Amino acid sequence: QVRLVESGGGSVQPGGSLRLSCAVSETLPPGPRWWLGWFRQAPNKEREGVARVDAGGTPTYYADSVKGRFTISLDSAKNTLYLQMNNLKPDDTAIYYCAADASLSPWIYSSATARYWGQGTQVTVSS
């Protein structure tokens, strides 16, 4: 059973930066469709897909709301997924979750769950 453990959340002022980490307990099952990614959930808002990489670590998606500010990366040697968040805005406040699956359904349907989810880490952007 793959376990995902997020860290790095916290409180920051607008314009600040944070780097989230997601430790992956073991190598994902074989197959080209697997992805690793970040979602976020703000109070009273639908879950939003933020960014994802493919099994090889190539970024394949960024939400329009974070393009140019967030960077997703995968360190395969450390089995760790990162999300570097720069120029943070109050609208970025949410719980950020790391997830992995071989299906893109969670990116299409906000009610769909991924096979593997982390416990989430809170990011608060406020002055």
Side-chain angles (χ1 to χ4, degrees):
Q1 178 78 359
V2 175
R3 291 180 62 244
L4 307 176
V5 180
E6 302 97 335
S7 61
S11 295
V12 64
Q13 292 186 341
S17 298
L18 284 173
R19 188 177 78 158
L20 305 184
S21 300
C22 173
V24 185
S25 64
E26 59 189 78
T27 303
L28 294 176
R33 295 184 180 181
W34 281 91
W35 52 263
L36 280 162
W38 293 94
F39 292 82
R40 65 187 182 185
Q41 180 87 58
N44 301 315
K45 291 186 178 179
E46 281 197 346
R47 187 186 73 204
E48 179 185 18
V50 176
R52 73 172 178 263
V53 296
D54 64 16
T58 300
T60 55
Y61 175 81
Y62 285 101
D64 288 341
S65 56
V66 307
K67 282 181 182 176
R69 301 187 298 122
F70 291 11
T71 302
I72 188 171
S73 61
L74 176 65
D75 187 332
S76 297
K78 295 182 178 180
N79 258 11
T80 301
L81 181 73
Y82 299 101
L83 186 68
Q84 177 67 43
M85 305 185 295
N86 298 328
N87 191 21
L88 282 160
K89 305 175 181 180
D91 282 351
D92 296 318
T93 296
I95 300 175
Y96 284 71
Y97 297 91
C98 177
D101 203 330
S103 168
L104 289 176
S105 290
W107 298 90
I108 301 170
Y109 309 106
S110 61
S111 60
T113 58
R115 188 173 306 187
Y116 304 115
W117 283 100
Q119 83 287 353
T121 185
Q122 175 72 46
V123 171
T124 302
V125 185
S126 174
S127 55

